[in-house]
Amino acid sequence: MKTTYMNLDKILDLKKWRNLQDSLALVTKLAIVTVNYKGVPISQHSSVRPFCETMRKNPNTAKLCEKCDARGGLEAVRTNAPYIYLCHWNIVDIAIPIIIDDKYVGAIMAGEVKIKDGDKHPPLEQMLTVPSKGFEQNLNNNEEIQRLYDSIPTLSYTEINDAAQMLYRLCNYIVEEAMNKNLILEVYEKMAPVKEDLSTEDISYGYSLDNIQNIKKELANTVTNAYVKTSINDHLVCKNKVLQPAFDYIYKHKREKISQQKMADLCHISTGYFSRIFPKETGMNFSVFISLKKIEWSKQLLEKTDLSIAQISDELGFNDPGYYIKTFKKYENITPNVYRKYYQEKL
């Protein structure tokens, strides 16, 4: 999809999301805020605790809060799951990653609660060790700060974990639905010309169910027409036997980034001569052939395995998942995730 869709404010209807976030904070008894991949809040802080609000308003203590949020978010990205941890004030927080096409685009930060005394739970990592003077000085020498700290609500670890899992599933569902909507609009722009009888309201605010179903059918046809039925272990026998060593190497070393120079050396010919006879054998130049082959192999992995986009990218020697997605879309007009989704829906 277009890179603009990777911005959370392009994926989520922030006004509706903020209202939902407020409701979720009331139901889960957690404070909640949504941040982008830089850790910058894109929503208001729902049900923020007075103690945390006070700490975040102080420039000195706010830096610790921001650093703690950033580290918690990175741990959630690393595990690709909700991460429950302790902040530098020994308050329980949760980082819920928002990941699209293997790219971290933001997080839902929830928590600002304590675990009930005596409640058994797994050991929680403390993201930061507060400076020796910070915690004790702020609490012991300020009765108001101590009162605000003591007023932080308590929950059982089970309640906290259940809320984290619920928020994670809900977040994934909302983002997936938003991405599907954006995909349909993008595909519609490319594949289905706007009909003259469509009203302004139709174009601005959505499409009928029939229109959406037609778009999905067209997209499915694109996937079907692009699919080449070959095995990932297939092979090519050259008419020009001089090139056979190159093709043998290409098919046996799918994970490598293969250069034309290396292939020419394997065939014991000059690079110039290789570049002239290769298109006669394949109908295309070397770089295009390699890209198309790798995309063809990746489609088979998308269809037949549960490997992630990052794993497939690594398996086929792309520089990074982003480059793989860009190359796939260049030749297939859709992203790998969308290809897999619609292939599976056809089964």
Side-chain angles (χ1 to χ4, degrees), residues 16-212:
K16 292 180 180 178
W17 172 251
R18 286 165 187 162
N19 291 333
L20 176 60
Q21 181 181 282
D22 288 341
S23 298
L24 289 170
L26 290 174
V27 170
T28 61
K29 301 177 183 178
L30 301 173
I32 303 176
V33 65
T34 306
V35 300
N36 65 16
Y37 71 97
K38 295 180 179 179
V40 178
I42 64 166
S43 74
Q44 295 176 344
H45 208 137
S46 302
S47 299
V48 61
R49 311 305 182 202
F51 174 83
C52 296
E53 186 175 29
T54 300
M55 292 299 104
R56 289 178 182 273
K57 284 181 178 179
N58 183 310
N60 295 322
T61 52
K63 292 178 181 179
L64 295 173
C65 296
E66 292 169 3
K67 186 178 290 186
C68 198
D69 285 347
R71 290 186 179 179
L74 289 176
E75 284 299 312
V77 173
R78 184 181 62 80
T79 59
N80 195 13
Y83 193 73
I84 303 174
Y85 60 96
L86 295 174
C87 79
H88 49 294
W89 299 116
N90 282 320
I91 299 170
V92 177
D93 278 332
I94 308 164
I96 298 165
I98 302 173
I99 299 175
I100 300 173
D101 286 338
D102 292 318
K103 298 289 186 182
Y104 174 53
V105 297
I108 297 173
M109 309 300 294
E112 298 182 9
V113 294
K114 299 176 189 173
I115 296 179
K116 292 179 178 178
D117 291 339
D119 188 43
K120 294 182 179 180
H121 59 84
L124 301 180
E125 179 182 3
Q126 187 173 38
M127 286 292 105
L128 286 176
T129 302
V130 74
S132 57
K133 296 181 180 180
F135 186 79
E136 295 177 359
Q137 183 174 344
N138 271 288
L139 293 186
N140 297 337
N141 297 340
N142 190 315
E143 292 184 3
E144 177 61 15
I145 293 295
Q146 179 69 57
R147 184 187 68 80
L148 294 179
Y149 184 78
D150 292 340
S151 71
I152 294 173
T154 61
L155 295 175
S156 69
Y157 178 80
T158 298
E159 290 175 310
I160 295 169
N161 187 54
D162 287 347
Q165 298 302 323
M166 183 271 288
L167 289 172
Y168 183 63
R169 289 191 290 269
L170 180 62
C171 172
N172 284 342
Y173 173 76
I174 291 173
V175 170
E176 182 180 355
E177 289 300 304
M179 292 292 286
N180 284 340
K181 175 185 173 183
N182 288 335
L183 168 69
I184 289 172
L185 295 178
E186 183 179 339
V187 172
Y188 189 85
E189 290 174 358
K190 290 184 177 180
M191 300 177 62
V194 179
K195 297 180 180 179
E196 293 181 0
D197 59 349
L198 280 178
S199 68
T200 302
E201 183 175 352
D202 289 331
I203 297 172
S204 301
Y205 298 104
Y207 303 97
S208 69
L209 181 60
D210 289 341
N211 281 339
I212 292 175

Side-chain angles (χ1 to χ4, degrees), residues 209-264:
L209 181 60
D210 289 341
N211 281 339
I212 292 175
Q213 293 301 326
N214 289 335
I215 294 170
K216 286 188 174 182
K217 287 179 182 178
E218 291 179 14
L219 182 56
N221 289 335
T222 300
V223 173
T224 303
N225 294 336
Y227 176 54
V228 180
K229 294 183 178 179
T230 53
S231 165
I232 197 164
N233 295 314
D234 57 359
H235 196 55
L236 191 150
V237 178
C238 300
K239 294 178 181 178
N240 188 335
K241 300 302 180 185
V242 173
L243 292 171
Q244 193 64 53
F247 285 99
D248 290 343
Y249 191 92
I250 291 168
Y251 281 77
K252 290 180 181 178
H253 298 82
K254 297 180 176 70
R255 298 187 69 172
E256 287 189 20
K257 185 177 180 181
I258 302 171
S259 69
Q260 184 169 263
Q261 176 67 59
K262 184 172 183 176
M263 295 301 95

